[in-house]
Structures are given as structure tokens and as C-alpha cells.
Amino acid sequence: MSQEPVSRDKGGFWVFLRSQLRPRGKILTPFNVISVPIILLGLGILVVRFTQGLGSVTNLSQETPWGFWIGFDVITGVAFAGGAYTITFAVYIMRMEKYHPIVRATVLNGLLAYVFYAGALALDLGRPWNIINPIIGNSFGFNSVLFLVSWHFLLYMLAELLEFSPVVAEWLGARRARRILSAMTLSAVIFGVTLSTLHQSGLGALYLMAKPKIHPLWYSEFIPIFFFVSSIFAGLSMVILEGTLSHRVFKDQIDPKKHHSFDDLIIGLAKGAAIAMFVYYFFRALIFLHDKQWTLLRSGWGAWYLLEIIGLVLIPCFMFAYGVRHRSLGIIRSAAVLTLLGIVLNRLNISIIAYNWYSPVRYYPSWQEIVVTMMVVSAEIWVFRWIVLRMPVMREAHELPSDPQEKPERAAVAASL
Amino acid sequence: METYTYVNIFETKGLEYLLLMSFLVLLVFFVRYLREPGGDD
């Protein structure tokens, strides 16, 4: 056999890839104008961080070794990614086909959240090259929660990649690969859901050893369960918000026949979020009573705690219920925003605000830490948009209107795979 | 003759049981509220 067809196929692949790298849509959009300087500034800060060390750009210290990058990017970001395991569980295990149209976008969002937010963990390590240690067996530390979390992050990213891989195969026109990868989806989903239940709670378990440092209103032996349950409604709220935004931004990608059913999806998700929040609220109330914490409510910390529990859990829970009952999408979206704020506040309370709460020297994130976090979020949105504009994420490939310009290039790639 | 014994609802965890029972009852009503006509099934 001659080598020629292979090289021609490879050439076809590169032509196809080049065609996909071309920008699509308007370049001067408000998001681009805001996000590009943030990303460039963030990259500059990261250069300083990796050449001069953590102390040069962060306010971290021996007293506060975990700051905003862990508290927001990793702990909060992973909770927001909970929508992926919740929706895949509903669609592939419970066979709730109604949610099938949003499963691809949700899995992509979850995958990118893990890649970017959990990836941000590497920024916060004093010696980032040691991140490989739990994987290669150098100081395994079987008893460490971090050991579980690091392995789970790695395995879950692979499971999500597998769940998303049929979309990539469709994009490349590789029908046989798509068939094989689709057959593996159910296994990947079961594996992914199992991993999620453990590492969502595992992130909470990281704080079990910090009992003397966390304010008693936030510390509990049940933090792992709180983290897991709250990741369900955090993920659903994120899907509601992200789905609403995607529905507006990528409306030309969505099958017009499915536009009307989107409202029903949002209402179904809101119903799930309301029930999960109701259960979560009573969990917290039970622990509050069990630990006899009512005397702690008289302080400023008590008011802060009530703001989180009543203002950003109970009220949005009832807003979701009211929105479902009256089919009010506006109220449901507002409830989703409040819920996400509640999750941010809860995770930051445990990891930063109510952590070392008695200390006279408080930790505040530096402006560089905030810019790098904004860079991570912006970069994730850029990649999400790039993929959605090119791959069949909002609907399956055969439902997409064909682009005559792309056809020959795609055909060449498909032939090579 | 036995004397009256005061049961401290806090020490006996009675309050926790009450909360748990209220939760279960309220959960039923809450789910029913979400399923009322006018809501989505």
C-alpha cells in the first residue's frame, strides 16, 4: 500500500482544522472587548506567579495557605459543574428523555468547568510540578482526602470527555467512531455519577480536619453531605442560567421546533432544584438544632449565617416553587441567580470568610487573584463558545443545517477516520 | 407514688424529632404544591 492516501488524508485534516479555526461571528462584541484585556492581564500575572512565586501576586500566607483560587475556582466551580452529573443521571439512568436536548451542552459545561476550575488548582500549588504525585505513586497518601479528590478529578474529567466524545466524532464525520463511543456513554455516565457523589462530598471532607479554624455555625461533621446535596441544586441552577444565556446567544443553533419545549425544561429543572433545596434547608436546620447553636445567632456571624440560609437558600427555594406553580420563567431565573450567589457565599464562608474567623489578621484576596479568577472564567466561556459554534452541541449533527463551504473538508476528514 | 418528671425537649432530642416529622409532612405538601394544576407535571 502506498503512503500517499494517508498523507492526503492528513492534509485534508489540517485543511479542515484550519477552516474551523477561522473566527465566526462578530469580533467586536461587548464580551470580547471586556474579556480579552482580562485574559491578557491574567496571563501576565501568571507569568509573574510562576517566575516569582505565589507570594508575589497573592495575599496567601502560612496562616492562610488556601485563598480565593481554591475557595472560588476549585470549591465553588466544581459545585457549579454539578449539573453535568445531575442531568446525565436524569437522562441516561432515569430515562427522562425530556432533558435530552440539553445534555450535550451541560456535559460540555461540566467538562470545561473541571478542566478550568479544577485545573486552577495547579496555580495555587507552591510547587505545581508535584501535582502529579498522587497519580504516579510518589507519596500516595491513601488516607488523605486530597488523594481521593485528585484521583476523582482526573477520572471524572476522563469520564466526561468520553461522554462528550460522540459530539467530537460527529463533528469530524467519523460515523464508526461515533457508534463505538456512543455505546460507551452509559458506562461513562454510571462511572461519572459515582465519582461525583464522592468527590463533591470529598471537597467538603477536606474541611473536616479544620474544626478549630471554622466558625461553629459553618463547621459540621456533615459538611460532606451538605456539599453533595448543595451541588445538586447548584448544578441545576447553573444549567437554568447557562441554558437561558445559551438559548439567546446560540438561538440559530437550536432546532426551531424545540424552542417552545425549552420553557418546560426550565420548569422541570426548577422543580428539581426546589425539592433539593428544601431537603438541604432542613438538613442544615437539623444540624443547627443538634449542635444547639441558637446562642451564636446573636453575633454578627449569626446575621451573616441567616443571610446565607434564609436569604440565599430558603427564599430562592420558595421562588423556584412559586415560579413552577405559576410558570414564571423570570422568577425561576432570579431564583437561580440567588441560589448561585448562595453557593458562592457558602463555599467562601467555609473556605475563607468564616475560616480563621477569630484571627486578628484577616485574609483578603489581592487584585491579582481576582483578575486571574476572572481570566479563568472568561477563558472557559471562550472555549465553550468556540466549541458550540463548531460542533453539534445544541443538537445532533444530522439536525444541523449543512454548510456547503465545509462539506468537502469534512468529507475528507471523515474518509481518513 | 411517682413524681412528675420534667422532660427537657432539648436534652432528649425531642426538638430534633419534631423537626424531622415536620420536615416529612411539609415535604409532602411542598411536592404536592409543585404538582398542582397550573404547575408542570
Side-chain angles (χ1 to χ4, degrees), chain A residues 382-401:
Chain A
W382 265 82
V383 175
F384 183 82
R385 185 178 62 178
W386 190 89
I387 294 174
V388 168
L389 288 177
R390 285 156 184 84
M391 297 186 195
V393 175
M394 294 298 174
R395 50 176 151 161
E396 297 199 1
H398 67 269
E399 298 172 335
L400 282 170

PDB file of all heavy atoms in Angstrom, chain A residues 382-401:
ATOM      1  N   TRP A 382     -14.834  31.436  26.466  1.00  0.00           N
ATOM      2  CA  TRP A 382     -14.275  31.479  25.107  1.00  0.00           C
ATOM      3  C   TRP A 382     -14.250  30.069  24.488  1.00  0.00           C
ATOM      4  O   TRP A 382     -14.658  29.874  23.347  1.00  0.00           O
ATOM      5  CB  TRP A 382     -12.845  32.038  25.134  1.00  0.00           C
ATOM      6  CG  TRP A 382     -12.799  33.507  24.873  1.00  0.00           C
ATOM      7  CD1 TRP A 382     -13.013  34.498  25.786  1.00  0.00           C
ATOM      8  CD2 TRP A 382     -12.534  34.163  23.631  1.00  0.00           C
ATOM      9  NE1 TRP A 382     -12.902  35.721  25.199  1.00  0.00           N
ATOM     10  CE2 TRP A 382     -12.598  35.554  23.871  1.00  0.00           C
ATOM     11  CE3 TRP A 382     -12.242  33.724  22.350  1.00  0.00           C
ATOM     12  CZ2 TRP A 382     -12.397  36.498  22.876  1.00  0.00           C
ATOM     13  CZ3 TRP A 382     -12.031  34.664  21.346  1.00  0.00           C
ATOM     14  CH2 TRP A 382     -12.108  36.025  21.611  1.00  0.00           C
ATOM     15  N   VAL A 383     -13.745  29.111  25.255  1.00  0.00           N
ATOM     16  CA  VAL A 383     -13.634  27.740  24.728  1.00  0.00           C
ATOM     17  C   VAL A 383     -15.031  27.151  24.504  1.00  0.00           C
ATOM     18  O   VAL A 383     -15.292  26.508  23.479  1.00  0.00           O
ATOM     19  CB  VAL A 383     -12.802  26.846  25.691  1.00  0.00           C
ATOM     20  CG1 VAL A 383     -12.778  25.411  25.218  1.00  0.00           C
ATOM     21  CG2 VAL A 383     -11.383  27.377  25.800  1.00  0.00           C
ATOM     22  N   PHE A 384     -15.942  27.404  25.450  1.00  0.00           N
ATOM     23  CA  PHE A 384     -17.319  26.912  25.309  1.00  0.00           C
ATOM     24  C   PHE A 384     -17.931  27.445  24.014  1.00  0.00           C
ATOM     25  O   PHE A 384     -18.514  26.705  23.225  1.00  0.00           O
ATOM     26  CB  PHE A 384     -18.140  27.375  26.527  1.00  0.00           C
ATOM     27  CG  PHE A 384     -19.559  26.873  26.531  1.00  0.00           C
ATOM     28  CD1 PHE A 384     -19.865  25.608  26.984  1.00  0.00           C
ATOM     29  CD2 PHE A 384     -20.599  27.681  26.071  1.00  0.00           C
ATOM     30  CE1 PHE A 384     -21.180  25.136  26.992  1.00  0.00           C
ATOM     31  CE2 PHE A 384     -21.910  27.224  26.067  1.00  0.00           C
ATOM     32  CZ  PHE A 384     -22.193  25.951  26.531  1.00  0.00           C
ATOM     33  N   ARG A 385     -17.770  28.751  23.787  1.00  0.00           N
ATOM     34  CA  ARG A 385     -18.341  29.372  22.584  1.00  0.00           C
ATOM     35  C   ARG A 385     -17.706  28.804  21.326  1.00  0.00           C
ATOM     36  O   ARG A 385     -18.378  28.519  20.336  1.00  0.00           O
ATOM     37  CB  ARG A 385     -18.141  30.894  22.660  1.00  0.00           C
ATOM     38  CG  ARG A 385     -18.791  31.646  21.516  1.00  0.00           C
ATOM     39  CD  ARG A 385     -18.607  33.138  21.673  1.00  0.00           C
ATOM     40  NE  ARG A 385     -17.189  33.498  21.655  1.00  0.00           N
ATOM     41  CZ  ARG A 385     -16.760  34.752  21.741  1.00  0.00           C
ATOM     42  NH1 ARG A 385     -17.606  35.746  21.891  1.00  0.00           N
ATOM     43  NH2 ARG A 385     -15.467  35.029  21.705  1.00  0.00           N
ATOM     44  N   TRP A 386     -16.378  28.625  21.365  1.00  0.00           N
ATOM     45  CA  TRP A 386     -15.665  28.093  20.194  1.00  0.00           C
ATOM     46  C   TRP A 386     -16.230  26.718  19.831  1.00  0.00           C
ATOM     47  O   TRP A 386     -16.494  26.424  18.664  1.00  0.00           O
ATOM     48  CB  TRP A 386     -14.161  27.987  20.503  1.00  0.00           C
ATOM     49  CG  TRP A 386     -13.336  27.671  19.297  1.00  0.00           C
ATOM     50  CD1 TRP A 386     -12.788  28.557  18.429  1.00  0.00           C
ATOM     51  CD2 TRP A 386     -13.003  26.361  18.807  1.00  0.00           C
ATOM     52  NE1 TRP A 386     -12.117  27.887  17.430  1.00  0.00           N
ATOM     53  CE2 TRP A 386     -12.229  26.538  17.640  1.00  0.00           C
ATOM     54  CE3 TRP A 386     -13.267  25.067  19.232  1.00  0.00           C
ATOM     55  CZ2 TRP A 386     -11.726  25.482  16.897  1.00  0.00           C
ATOM     56  CZ3 TRP A 386     -12.767  24.002  18.494  1.00  0.00           C
ATOM     57  CH2 TRP A 386     -12.004  24.209  17.336  1.00  0.00           C
ATOM     58  N   ILE A 387     -16.419  25.892  20.836  1.00  0.00           N
ATOM     59  CA  ILE A 387     -16.903  24.524  20.578  1.00  0.00           C
ATOM     60  C   ILE A 387     -18.358  24.541  20.103  1.00  0.00           C
ATOM     61  O   ILE A 387     -18.707  23.868  19.119  1.00  0.00           O
ATOM     62  CB  ILE A 387     -16.738  23.649  21.842  1.00  0.00           C
ATOM     63  CG1 ILE A 387     -15.248  23.455  22.142  1.00  0.00           C
ATOM     64  CG2 ILE A 387     -17.425  22.297  21.677  1.00  0.00           C
ATOM     65  CD1 ILE A 387     -14.952  22.729  23.435  1.00  0.00           C
ATOM     66  N   VAL A 388     -19.197  25.333  20.762  1.00  0.00           N
ATOM     67  CA  VAL A 388     -20.633  25.343  20.399  1.00  0.00           C
ATOM     68  C   VAL A 388     -20.829  25.850  18.966  1.00  0.00           C
ATOM     69  O   VAL A 388     -21.693  25.358  18.245  1.00  0.00           O
ATOM     70  CB  VAL A 388     -21.432  26.205  21.410  1.00  0.00           C
ATOM     71  CG1 VAL A 388     -22.844  26.465  20.906  1.00  0.00           C
ATOM     72  CG2 VAL A 388     -21.497  25.500  22.756  1.00  0.00           C
ATOM     73  N   LEU A 389     -19.995  26.816  18.552  1.00  0.00           N
ATOM     74  CA  LEU A 389     -20.147  27.361  17.197  1.00  0.00           C
ATOM     75  C   LEU A 389     -19.655  26.397  16.117  1.00  0.00           C
ATOM     76  O   LEU A 389     -19.890  26.618  14.936  1.00  0.00           O
ATOM     77  CB  LEU A 389     -19.408  28.701  17.074  1.00  0.00           C
ATOM     78  CG  LEU A 389     -20.058  29.889  17.802  1.00  0.00           C
ATOM     79  CD1 LEU A 389     -19.197  31.133  17.666  1.00  0.00           C
ATOM     80  CD2 LEU A 389     -21.469  30.156  17.278  1.00  0.00           C
ATOM     81  N   ARG A 390     -18.950  25.340  16.516  1.00  0.00           N
ATOM     82  CA  ARG A 390     -18.387  24.435  15.513  1.00  0.00           C
ATOM     83  C   ARG A 390     -18.921  23.006  15.616  1.00  0.00           C
ATOM     84  O   ARG A 390     -19.094  22.340  14.609  1.00  0.00           O
ATOM     85  CB  ARG A 390     -16.857  24.429  15.623  1.00  0.00           C
ATOM     86  CG  ARG A 390     -16.269  25.704  15.041  1.00  0.00           C
ATOM     87  CD  ARG A 390     -14.912  26.028  15.614  1.00  0.00           C
ATOM     88  NE  ARG A 390     -14.447  27.304  15.076  1.00  0.00           N
ATOM     89  CZ  ARG A 390     -14.781  28.482  15.570  1.00  0.00           C
ATOM     90  NH1 ARG A 390     -15.579  28.574  16.607  1.00  0.00           N
ATOM     91  NH2 ARG A 390     -14.317  29.598  15.029  1.00  0.00           N
ATOM     92  N   MET A 391     -19.151  22.555  16.821  1.00  0.00           N
ATOM     93  CA  MET A 391     -19.556  21.148  16.997  1.00  0.00           C
ATOM     94  C   MET A 391     -21.067  21.064  17.231  1.00  0.00           C
ATOM     95  O   MET A 391     -21.680  22.028  17.677  1.00  0.00           O
ATOM     96  CB  MET A 391     -18.806  20.537  18.179  1.00  0.00           C
ATOM     97  CG  MET A 391     -17.309  20.508  17.954  1.00  0.00           C
ATOM     98  SD  MET A 391     -16.504  19.620  19.288  1.00  0.00           S
ATOM     99  CE  MET A 391     -14.808  20.129  19.046  1.00  0.00           C
ATOM    100  N   PRO A 392     -21.649  19.896  16.952  1.00  0.00           N
ATOM    101  CA  PRO A 392     -23.101  19.760  17.146  1.00  0.00           C
ATOM    102  C   PRO A 392     -23.464  19.584  18.618  1.00  0.00           C
ATOM    103  O   PRO A 392     -23.786  18.483  19.047  1.00  0.00           O
ATOM    104  CB  PRO A 392     -23.442  18.509  16.326  1.00  0.00           C
ATOM    105  CG  PRO A 392     -22.187  17.726  16.297  1.00  0.00           C
ATOM    106  CD  PRO A 392     -21.039  18.683  16.378  1.00  0.00           C
ATOM    107  N   VAL A 393     -23.385  20.704  19.367  1.00  0.00           N
ATOM    108  CA  VAL A 393     -23.628  20.640  20.811  1.00  0.00           C
ATOM    109  C   VAL A 393     -25.103  20.897  21.128  1.00  0.00           C
ATOM    110  O   VAL A 393     -25.707  20.186  21.921  1.00  0.00           O
ATOM    111  CB  VAL A 393     -22.746  21.675  21.549  1.00  0.00           C
ATOM    112  CG1 VAL A 393     -23.077  21.707  23.034  1.00  0.00           C
ATOM    113  CG2 VAL A 393     -21.284  21.354  21.349  1.00  0.00           C
ATOM    114  N   MET A 394     -25.666  21.891  20.484  1.00  0.00           N
ATOM    115  CA  MET A 394     -27.052  22.252  20.792  1.00  0.00           C
ATOM    116  C   MET A 394     -28.054  21.275  20.162  1.00  0.00           C
ATOM    117  O   MET A 394     -29.205  21.242  20.544  1.00  0.00           O
ATOM    118  CB  MET A 394     -27.350  23.676  20.312  1.00  0.00           C
ATOM    119  CG  MET A 394     -26.562  24.717  21.064  1.00  0.00           C
ATOM    120  SD  MET A 394     -26.993  24.706  22.817  1.00  0.00           S
ATOM    121  CE  MET A 394     -25.820  25.854  23.468  1.00  0.00           C
ATOM    122  N   ARG A 395     -27.604  20.552  19.158  1.00  0.00           N
ATOM    123  CA  ARG A 395     -28.428  19.484  18.580  1.00  0.00           C
ATOM    124  C   ARG A 395     -27.512  18.531  17.824  1.00  0.00           C
ATOM    125  O   ARG A 395     -26.352  18.858  17.544  1.00  0.00           O
ATOM    126  CB  ARG A 395     -29.512  20.034  17.670  1.00  0.00           C
ATOM    127  CG  ARG A 395     -29.021  21.018  16.626  1.00  0.00           C
ATOM    128  CD  ARG A 395     -30.178  21.385  15.741  1.00  0.00           C
ATOM    129  NE  ARG A 395     -30.046  22.712  15.206  1.00  0.00           N
ATOM    130  CZ  ARG A 395     -30.710  23.138  14.150  1.00  0.00           C
ATOM    131  NH1 ARG A 395     -31.548  22.336  13.546  1.00  0.00           N
ATOM    132  NH2 ARG A 395     -30.562  24.356  13.707  1.00  0.00           N
ATOM    133  N   GLU A 396     -28.049  17.373  17.458  1.00  0.00           N
ATOM    134  CA  GLU A 396     -27.202  16.375  16.817  1.00  0.00           C
ATOM    135  C   GLU A 396     -26.849  16.796  15.390  1.00  0.00           C
ATOM    136  O   GLU A 396     -27.564  17.587  14.774  1.00  0.00           O
ATOM    137  CB  GLU A 396     -27.901  15.024  16.833  1.00  0.00           C
ATOM    138  CG  GLU A 396     -28.112  14.569  18.270  1.00  0.00           C
ATOM    139  CD  GLU A 396     -28.357  13.100  18.399  1.00  0.00           C
ATOM    140  OE1 GLU A 396     -28.357  12.393  17.395  1.00  0.00           O
ATOM    141  OE2 GLU A 396     -28.540  12.668  19.551  1.00  0.00           O
ATOM    142  N   ALA A 397     -25.752  16.230  14.866  1.00  0.00           N
ATOM    143  CA  ALA A 397     -25.202  16.687  13.591  1.00  0.00           C
ATOM    144  C   ALA A 397     -26.214  16.601  12.461  1.00  0.00           C
ATOM    145  O   ALA A 397     -26.305  17.499  11.627  1.00  0.00           O
ATOM    146  CB  ALA A 397     -23.962  15.868  13.255  1.00  0.00           C
ATOM    147  N   HIS A 398     -27.016  15.522  12.430  1.00  0.00           N
ATOM    148  CA  HIS A 398     -27.942  15.380  11.308  1.00  0.00           C
ATOM    149  C   HIS A 398     -29.072  16.409  11.351  1.00  0.00           C
ATOM    150  O   HIS A 398     -29.775  16.619  10.380  1.00  0.00           O
ATOM    151  CB  HIS A 398     -28.521  13.957  11.276  1.00  0.00           C
ATOM    152  CG  HIS A 398     -29.404  13.654  12.448  1.00  0.00           C
ATOM    153  ND1 HIS A 398     -28.911  13.097  13.602  1.00  0.00           N
ATOM    154  CD2 HIS A 398     -30.721  13.842  12.652  1.00  0.00           C
ATOM    155  CE1 HIS A 398     -29.912  12.947  14.470  1.00  0.00           C
ATOM    156  NE2 HIS A 398     -31.010  13.386  13.912  1.00  0.00           N
ATOM    157  N   GLU A 399     -29.220  17.092  12.525  1.00  0.00           N
ATOM    158  CA  GLU A 399     -30.254  18.121  12.627  1.00  0.00           C
ATOM    159  C   GLU A 399     -29.727  19.506  12.232  1.00  0.00           C
ATOM    160  O   GLU A 399     -30.490  20.441  12.096  1.00  0.00           O
ATOM    161  CB  GLU A 399     -30.754  18.212  14.076  1.00  0.00           C
ATOM    162  CG  GLU A 399     -31.394  16.940  14.587  1.00  0.00           C
ATOM    163  CD  GLU A 399     -31.697  17.010  16.074  1.00  0.00           C
ATOM    164  OE1 GLU A 399     -31.034  17.784  16.777  1.00  0.00           O
ATOM    165  OE2 GLU A 399     -32.593  16.273  16.513  1.00  0.00           O
ATOM    166  N   LEU A 400     -28.391  19.598  12.092  1.00  0.00           N
ATOM    167  CA  LEU A 400     -27.798  20.905  11.798  1.00  0.00           C
ATOM    168  C   LEU A 400     -27.940  21.247  10.323  1.00  0.00           C
ATOM    169  O   LEU A 400     -27.822  20.372   9.464  1.00  0.00           O
ATOM    170  CB  LEU A 400     -26.301  20.899  12.143  1.00  0.00           C
ATOM    171  CG  LEU A 400     -25.935  21.042  13.606  1.00  0.00           C
ATOM    172  CD1 LEU A 400     -24.455  20.764  13.782  1.00  0.00           C
ATOM    173  CD2 LEU A 400     -26.261  22.428  14.111  1.00  0.00           C
ATOM    174  N   PRO A 401     -28.178  22.539  10.024  1.00  0.00           N
ATOM    175  CA  PRO A 401     -28.179  22.929   8.616  1.00  0.00           C
ATOM    176  C   PRO A 401     -26.770  22.781   8.055  1.00  0.00           C
ATOM    177  O   PRO A 401     -25.809  23.156   8.713  1.00  0.00           O
ATOM    178  CB  PRO A 401     -28.609  24.401   8.664  1.00  0.00           C
ATOM    179  CG  PRO A 401     -28.365  24.856  10.055  1.00  0.00           C
ATOM    180  CD  PRO A 401     -28.415  23.645  10.938  1.00  0.00           C
TER     181      PRO A 401
END
